[in-house]
Amino acid sequence: STFVMGEHAPVFRVLIAATAVGVAFADGRSAMENGVTPFIRLIQFYFAGEVASVKEDPSQTSFLGIGSPSSIVIALTGALAVASGLGLWGHRVTETMGKCISRNRLTFARAFSAQLAGVLAVLVATVLKLPLSTSHCVVTAIAISSVCGVPASERARESLDFRLLGRIAFAAVMTPLVSAALAAGTYSCLRVFL
């Protein structure tokens, strides 16, 4: 239709670029807080012998609690690691999201809808202090937007790759469980050897 592909395509390209920045912001902030903050706290504990909680020290409410030069270096190193990971493996995620989830063409309108929904979900979850995966939010939004507008004669079964969505859902469930098992195993080994 002309709404999706014709004269409105340039507008959707700009909107997609804007929501892509939102996704990058939401995902990057989450990755930094989840990956770098524990390391910064560990360094603070190592050098100071304790880590001030937010209740004890209101200055710790800033992003990552960054204040010392070593914390800034760690945060910059974490940002470089996130950017390197995206540079090395991001194309695979992008290809999966753009070409593999839906058998329907991912139009500009569907891509914009999916990205906007993913960004809003992550930002709301952040405000509510709920842990949430940006990637899983966007994957779900792509799946739903791919089914929207499909004629009634076509079913969702024919529109989506449920094997891939099943693998993604399995990974979403297993990731915290495997991480917990690895953390417990690592800590147990450290207790034995240290």
Side-chain angles (χ1 to χ4, degrees):
S1 75
T2 59
F3 174 70
V4 176
M5 299 306 297
E7 62 195 58
H8 295 92
V11 173
F12 278 109
R13 285 185 181 134
V14 171
L15 292 173
I16 288 169
T19 55
V21 170
V23 170
F25 171 77
D27 197 32
R29 183 177 191 280
S30 173
M32 287 294 290
E33 282 191 350
N34 295 333
V36 177
T37 300
F39 191 58
I40 289 174
R41 297 294 186 224
L42 179 67
I43 296 298
Q44 288 173 344
F45 181 77
Y46 180 77
F47 287 110
E50 65 181 1
V51 176
S53 72
V54 174
K55 291 179 183 174
E56 296 169 5
D57 183 2
S59 69
Q60 295 297 314
T61 58
S62 64
F63 177 64
L64 296 175
I66 295 175
S68 69
S70 63
S71 295
I72 293 170
V73 169
I74 293 167
L76 290 174
T77 303
L80 180 64
V82 169
S84 298
L86 286 172
L88 291 172
W89 297 290
H91 69 283
R92 292 181 61 200
V93 174
T94 302
E95 186 173 329
T96 299
M97 289 186 172
K99 294 181 180 176
C100 302
I101 292 172
S102 173
R103 293 186 180 108
N104 294 328
R105 187 160 184 251
L106 188 60
T107 62
F108 293 119
R110 286 181 175 148
F112 168 71
S113 300
Q115 283 191 163
L116 182 63
V119 167
L120 293 176
V122 170
L123 293 177
V124 167
T126 300
V127 168
L128 298 175
K129 300 189 184 303
L130 299 172
L132 198 58
S133 165
T134 307
S135 299
H136 291 119
C137 287
V138 175
V139 164
T140 304
I142 288 171
I144 297 302
S145 69
S146 296
V147 174
C148 291
V150 173
S153 60
E154 293 181 35
R155 295 187 218 164
R157 257 183 293 172
E158 298 163 358
S159 300
L160 299 173
D161 184 347
F162 279 100
R163 290 183 67 205
L164 177 62
L165 289 173
R167 289 194 345 243
I168 291 170
F170 179 75
V173 170
M174 291 305 295
T175 300
L177 299 176
V178 170
S179 296
L182 289 172
T186 302
Y187 182 74
S188 297
C189 289
L190 289 174
R191 289 195 60 175
V192 169
F193 294 110
L194 297 178

